[in-house]
């Protein structure tokens, strides 16, 4: 009940993001049910149904990724002072967020079931009733346990992933400071060596006011990401020798499942390496006598490397897959079926929405810093210029990376 009240009283933008999650869950659930309908209509050859079910994993993963990003930006489940006094600690808020995610995705699954039954002709008296009866195997009875099992995959995975992402983390223990570690006398720990300057009358302040902040640690995922990308490209090259190229459900049938496995490894590698690439962009912006604009843009990129790096990697993976597919079928003019189009729209829409949601989360995370800069008299043009500089640096880094991965993925698939 508390999760329902928090979901009902949220802001309109929060409700819009939840509706996007419900819509993505509805599309993925409909694809899963269509796979079940194809299996009912073709009971003997199981390879086609298995291939369609395999291709449904990409929209399902994109939907779960979007649901986790929306759960992270939900202000209703954010820890606030005073909530622990009424029994709403971090663990309870995590459970509420998982329940809210389950409600949104379950709503989409129910909508997918209604549309599927309506197009089969099982719900008469509505427009377009039974228009896809032959395609959805309306002459075969629908096994309800199988349909419910398929529809529960996305809600269960999304709620579990949200709970894991928002689980309470204990702070790392800090080592006690040893006397004299910074050159101070152990007998006089509160005295500093700065006897003049703007901080001379303030004990405990830094000795040098021009001393920079300590560097942020680099995310450790670049070597593993590069290795996984290479493995994915190798799997795609091996798969191209044993059958036709990219095969999609709908109008395209057949094709090796190893192509999908190779593309999945490539997407995982890009997601692992993207935070380190984002952090590297921030370091390059601050290199060679940077000004205020480059310092601000580079520092923000370093702080947000883990938050926006992985969504950027997923977007690059989707863009490279689309580019490779367009290269493979550039002269054939393939006729995409409705299921292929729906799956492509789901994957592309969910990845872009996840990136935008992560950007909103990053903006909220640095709201205090932005307010402090504005109080100090920083013009808004500097903040806007830093945002444009960050976007340009990310585009300059991830654009060529996406193109190189797409070209390498398309070379073994071109006949």
């Amino acid at each position: 009940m508390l999760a329902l009240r928090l979901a009902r009283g949220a802001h309109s933008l929060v409700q819009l993001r939840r509706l996007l999650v419900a819509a993505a869950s509805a599309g993925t659930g409909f694809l899963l049910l269509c796979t079940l309908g194809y299996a009912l209509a073709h009971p003997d050859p199981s390879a086609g149904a298995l291939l369609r079910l395999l291709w449904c994993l990409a929209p399902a993963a994109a939907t779960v990724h979007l649901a986790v990003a929306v759960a992270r930006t939900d202000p209703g489940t954010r820890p606030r002072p005073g909530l622990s006094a009424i029994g709403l600690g971090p663990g309870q808020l995590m459970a509420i967020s998982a329940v809210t995610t389950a409600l949104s995705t379950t709503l989409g699954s129910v909508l997918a079931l209604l549309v599927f039954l309506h197009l089969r002709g099982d719900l008469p008296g509505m427009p377009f009733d039974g228009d896809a009866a032959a395609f959805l195997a309306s002459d075969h009875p629908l096994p309800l346990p199988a349909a419910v099992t398929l529809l529960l995959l996305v809600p269960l995975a999304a709620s579990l992933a949200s709970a894991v992402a928002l689980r309470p983390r204990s702070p790392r223990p800090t080592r006690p400071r040893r006397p004299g570690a910074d050159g101070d006398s152990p007998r006089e720990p509160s005295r500093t060596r700065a006897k003049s300057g703007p901080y001379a009358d303030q004990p405990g302040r830094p000795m040098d006011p021009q001393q920079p902040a300590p560097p942020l640690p680099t995310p450790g995922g670049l070597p593993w990401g590069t290795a996984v990308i290479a493995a994915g490209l190798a799997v795609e090259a091996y798969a191209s020798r044993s059958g036709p190229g990219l095969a999609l459900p709908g109008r395209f049938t057949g094709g090796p499942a190893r192509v999908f496995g190779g593309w999945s490894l490539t997407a995982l590698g890009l997601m692992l390496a993207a935070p380190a690439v984002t952090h590297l962009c921030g370091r390059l912006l601050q290199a060679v006598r940077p000004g205020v604009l480059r310092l601000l843009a580079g520092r923000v990129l370093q702080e947000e490397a883990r938050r926006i790096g992985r969504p950027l990697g997923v977007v690059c993976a989707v863009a490279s897959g689309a580019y490779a597919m367009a290269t493979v079928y550039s002269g054939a003019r393939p006729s995409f079926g409705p299921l292929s189009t729906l799956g492509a729209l789901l994957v592309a829409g969910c990845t872009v929405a996840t990136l935008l949601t992560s950007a909103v989360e990053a903006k909220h995370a640095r709201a205090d810093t932005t307010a402090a800069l504005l109080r100090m008299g920083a013009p808004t043009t500097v903040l806007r210029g830093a945002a444009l500089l960050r976007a340009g640096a990310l585009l300059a880094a991830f654009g060529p990376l996406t193109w190189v991965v797409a070209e390498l993925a398309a070379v073994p698939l071109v006949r």
Side-chain angles (χ1 to χ4, degrees):
M1 293 300 296
L2 181 58
L4 287 175
R5 291 180 180 179
L6 291 175
R8 185 181 59 182
H11 194 266
S12 58
L13 292 179
V14 179
Q15 299 287 11
L16 178 60
R17 290 196 289 265
R18 291 171 180 169
L19 288 178
L20 288 177
V21 173
S25 177
T28 305
F30 183 77
L31 288 178
L32 291 172
L33 290 177
C34 289
T35 302
L36 179 60
Y38 179 85
L40 292 176
H42 304 80
D44 295 332
S46 60
L50 181 61
L51 179 63
R52 282 164 170 78
L53 185 61
L54 188 64
W55 275 109
C56 289
L57 293 180
T63 302
V64 172
H65 197 200
L66 175 60
V68 172
V70 170
R72 291 174 63 94
T73 57
D74 193 348
T77 57
R78 190 175 302 168
R80 292 185 296 273
L83 291 181
S84 299
I86 60 176
L88 292 179
Q92 288 76 14
L93 292 177
M94 176 202 67
I96 292 175
S97 178
V99 171
T100 304
T101 303
L103 289 176
S104 301
T105 50
T106 303
L107 176 63
S109 297
V110 172
L111 180 61
L113 180 61
L114 293 178
V115 173
F116 180 78
L117 294 177
H118 170 59
L119 293 179
R120 272 174 53 97
D122 297 335
L123 299 178
M126 299 177 65
F128 306 103
D129 178 56
D131 284 356
F135 180 72
L136 300 179
S138 61
D139 53 342
H140 293 76
L142 181 66
L144 189 59
V148 172
T149 301
L150 289 177
L151 290 177
L152 287 179
L153 291 178
V154 174
L156 290 177
S159 57
L160 180 60
S162 300
V164 172
L166 299 176
R167 69 187 185 277
R169 295 178 175 87
S170 58
R172 296 181 179 179
T174 57
R175 296 181 179 178
R177 181 183 176 185
R178 295 181 302 171
D182 296 334
D184 297 338
S185 174
R187 299 179 182 178
E188 299 175 351
S190 61
R191 183 180 301 177
T192 60
R193 291 181 293 180
K195 299 299 183 181
S196 62
Y199 300 100
D201 57 342
Q202 302 181 18
R205 297 300 297 267
M207 294 180 295
D208 187 5
Q210 301 297 329
Q211 183 180 2
L216 295 174
T218 305
L222 188 58
W224 285 103
T226 305
V228 174
I229 291 174
L233 294 176
V235 171
E236 291 183 16
Y238 175 74
S240 64
R241 301 178 181 178
S242 58
L246 293 172
L248 300 177
R251 301 294 177 83
F252 296 102
T253 57
R258 288 184 292 269
V259 175
F260 179 79
W263 182 83
S264 301
L265 286 177
T266 304
L268 179 61
L270 286 172
M271 187 176 65
L272 291 176
V277 176
T278 305
H279 191 276
L280 181 60
C281 290
R283 293 188 61 181
L284 292 178
L285 283 178
Q286 301 176 81
V288 191
R289 296 182 180 180
V292 177
L293 194 63
R294 284 199 291 151
L295 276 176
L296 181 60
R299 190 68 180 179
V300 170
L301 275 184
Q302 286 182 320
E303 291 180 352
E304 298 175 355
R306 289 180 172 86
R307 183 177 287 113
I308 67 174
R310 291 180 179 178
L312 269 175
V314 176
V315 170
C316 291
V318 174
S320 63
Y323 180 84
M325 190 182 305
T327 303
V328 171
Y329 296 112
S330 58
R333 291 184 180 181
S335 56
F336 288 90
L339 299 184
S340 302
T341 304
L342 178 60
L345 290 178
L346 279 175
V347 173
C350 288
T351 51
V352 173
T354 303
L355 180 60
L356 295 178
T357 305
S358 301
V360 171
E361 180 189 4
K363 182 179 178 181
H364 290 167
R366 64 174 185 270
D368 295 338
T369 304
T370 304
L373 290 174
L374 292 177
R375 286 195 303 266
M376 294 172 59
T380 56
T381 55
V382 174
L383 300 179
R384 294 173 183 172
L388 292 177
L389 188 58
R390 293 196 303 270
L394 292 177
L395 183 61
F398 284 95
L401 176 62
T402 303
W403 178 78
V404 169
V405 173
E407 286 289 340
L408 293 177
V411 166
L413 299 178
V414 177
R415 294 295 181 180

